[in-house]
């Protein structure tokens, strides 16, 4: 089934075939870029990028990616839009849809992204909400595929806060048949509705989903160890409480040694070194953190081309 004209709000909405199409095109575009081959699949098209949360990787990868595809990206800070002054989301959606060929939005409320997609008759891409981070999760598993050669039957251990990243990794692993063990404190567990959705997909794909409170149990036999910051944007005031709950979930050399000897370590960045992950592990030979960061460009180009292309 073609992705053309559709939205990407959650990986749960994608089929396995959709994910395979994204990965195949990402590989092709990455190879062509390395060879200096131009691929103007979105020539003459424009992407509007709405940012209510600041970002390094999201802004640069989407903006550069759109340019490499032959199109143009517009940076739209929410303070510069009428949506930041109280205009209803549905009004902004219908106006932007008459100017643009696609919208990427990075914001707080997932409901706001769903409303934007409901009223905009052009593709809407979720660049991040407090609930989900689908583009990052797709990038992560594409990176694992590059590194390990296959996804089905491999095991990922997610360690730390049960945040939007954990939610989207649950969705994505469950779709492709990759096992995932999520280790979080009781206070910061993953969203229960997301777990139900992921388990439904896992029943079809053969993925095994584990929710534990012991990071050492999670990393046993893991091919991939993944972590993220302990306090996301808007949660800094709760830092001290979070640190106390999450301190034993740090990804350090001792924890990494409890996984498979060839396990790789991932982090979606930005990283707070020596908090959720040690500098030693970040800079180790097992870290593929910066391969992840690069692949945001290639995977998101594939997403844009498939949703917005001819």
């Amino acid at each position: 089934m073609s992705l053309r004209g559709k939205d990407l709000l959650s990986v749960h909405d994608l089929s396995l075939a959709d994910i395979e199409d994204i990965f195949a095109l990402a590989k092709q575009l990455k190879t062509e870029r390395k060879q200096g081959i131009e691929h103007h699949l979105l020539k003459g098209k424009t992407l509007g990028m709405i940012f209510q949360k600041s970002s390094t990787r999201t802004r640069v990868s989407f903006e550069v990616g759109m340019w490499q595809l032959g199109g143009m990206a517009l940076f739209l800070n929410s303070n510069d839009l009428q949506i930041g002054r109280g205009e209803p989301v549905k009004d902004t959606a219908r106006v932007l849809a008459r100017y643009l060929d696609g919208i990427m939005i990075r914001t707080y409320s997932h409901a706001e992204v769903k409303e934007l997609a409901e009223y905009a008759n052009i593709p809407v891409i979720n660049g991040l909400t407090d609930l989900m981070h689908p583009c990052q999760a797709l990038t992560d598993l594409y990176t694992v595929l590059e590194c390990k050669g296959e996804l089905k039957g491999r095991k990922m251990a997610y360690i730390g806060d049960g945040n939007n990243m954990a939610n989207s990794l649950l969705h994505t692993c469950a779709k492709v048949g990759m096992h995932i063990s999520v280790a979080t404190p009781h206070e910061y567990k993953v969203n229960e509705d997301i777990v139900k959705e992921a388990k439904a997909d896992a029943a079809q794909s053969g993925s095994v989903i584990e929710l534990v409170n012991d990071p050492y149990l999670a990393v046993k036999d893991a091919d991939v160890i993944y972590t993220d910051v302990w306090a996301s944007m808007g949660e800094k005031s709760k830092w001290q409480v979070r640190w106390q709950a999450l301190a034993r979930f740090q990804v350090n050399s001792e924890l990494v040694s409890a996984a498979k000897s060839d396990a790789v370590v991932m982090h979606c960045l930005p990283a707070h070194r020596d908090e959720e992950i040690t500098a030693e592990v970040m800079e180790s030979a097992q870290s593929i953190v910066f391969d992840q960061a690069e692949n945001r460009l290639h995977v998101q180009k594939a997403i844009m081309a498939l949703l917005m292309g001819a």
Side-chain angles (χ1 to χ4, degrees):
M1 184 181 295
S2 171
L3 283 168
R4 176 168 166 73
K6 294 186 177 180
D7 305 311
L8 176 55
L9 308 187
S10 165
V11 179
H12 182 62
D13 299 332
L14 300 178
S15 68
L16 177 58
D18 292 335
I19 295 172
E20 290 172 342
D21 286 346
I22 291 169
F23 288 175
L25 185 54
K27 181 179 180 179
Q28 176 189 331
L29 296 179
K30 183 175 182 178
T31 300
E32 290 177 356
R33 182 64 188 172
K34 301 291 185 184
Q35 295 172 345
I37 299 172
E38 292 187 342
H39 36 241
H40 291 169
L41 303 178
L42 296 180
K43 184 177 180 180
K45 299 207 172 185
T46 305
L47 176 75
M49 306 187 304
I50 301 174
F51 282 85
Q52 295 186 357
K53 285 188 175 185
S54 59
S55 170
T56 298
R57 280 149 293 277
T58 300
R59 178 176 179 181
V60 175
S61 58
F62 270 106
E63 194 162 329
V64 171
M66 195 63 187
W67 179 82
Q68 290 180 2
L69 290 168
M72 180 178 71
L74 294 174
F75 175 75
L76 304 170
N77 186 295
S78 61
N79 293 327
D80 299 328
L81 296 173
Q82 295 302 325
I83 197 173
R85 301 182 180 90
E87 181 177 63
V89 171
K90 62 184 180 181
D91 291 358
T92 296
R94 287 179 285 193
V95 170
L96 291 181
R98 298 191 179 210
Y99 302 147
L100 304 169
D101 300 289
I103 299 170
M104 187 283 296
I105 179 168
R106 181 179 170 93
T107 187
Y108 294 89
S109 168
H110 193 74
E112 187 173 50
V113 176
K114 291 174 71 174
E115 185 178 3
L116 187 72
E118 180 182 354
Y119 287 94
N121 61 350
I122 56 175
V124 172
I125 300 170
N126 177 3
L128 175 141
T129 65
D130 285 345
L131 184 65
M132 295 179 193
H133 200 352
C135 293
Q136 180 69 59
L138 288 165
T139 295
D140 296 333
L141 265 66
Y142 174 78
T143 307
V144 175
L145 182 63
E146 277 190 330
C147 182
K148 296 295 185 180
E150 61 181 344
L151 295 174
K152 193 171 181 65
R154 295 284 188 177
K155 179 183 176 181
M156 174 181 286
Y158 176 90
I159 312 296
D161 180 28
N163 60 13
N164 52 4
M165 202 63 253
N167 292 337
S168 287
L169 287 169
L170 277 165
H171 274 158
T172 314
C173 287
K175 285 285 183 181
V176 303
M178 187 173 182
H179 309 320
I180 181 168
S181 184
V182 178
T184 66
H186 291 288
E187 310 95 298
Y188 302 111
K189 61 185 180 180
V190 289
N191 182 284
E192 292 182 0
D193 292 334
I194 300 290
V195 173
K196 289 178 183 177
E197 291 174 349
K199 286 186 174 180
D201 287 334
Q204 301 297 317
S205 70
S207 170
V208 175
I209 294 174
E210 294 180 318
L211 305 178
V212 299
N213 303 115
D214 182 350
Y216 284 90
L217 180 59
V219 301
K220 186 179 185 299
D221 298 323
D223 299 285
V224 181
I225 301 172
Y226 197 114
T227 192
D228 191 10
V229 293
W230 290 343
S232 300
M233 251 177 251
E235 298 175 330
K236 300 300 182 183
S237 61
K238 305 172 185 175
W239 169 245
Q240 189 61 39
V241 174
R242 282 179 164 270
W243 195 94
Q244 291 174 354
L246 287 155
R248 68 185 180 91
F249 291 82
Q250 183 187 70
V251 174
N252 50 41
S253 57
E254 182 181 343
L255 183 65
V256 172
S257 68
K260 286 184 178 179
S261 59
D262 63 347
V264 295
V265 178
M266 307 182 80
H267 192 303
C268 55
L269 299 178
H272 295 167
R273 294 180 180 225
D274 297 320
E275 291 177 6
E276 75 275 1
I277 186 170
T278 62
E280 178 186 14
V281 171
M282 275 280 292
E283 298 294 344
S284 72
Q286 290 175 269
S287 170
I288 57 170
V289 169
F290 296 102
D291 295 326
Q292 281 177 267
E294 176 190 343
N295 282 336
R296 286 287 298 276
L297 173 65
H298 309 299
V299 172
Q300 288 166 183
K301 282 168 65 177
I303 291 168
M304 290 188 289
L306 289 167
L307 266 59
M308 298 167 58

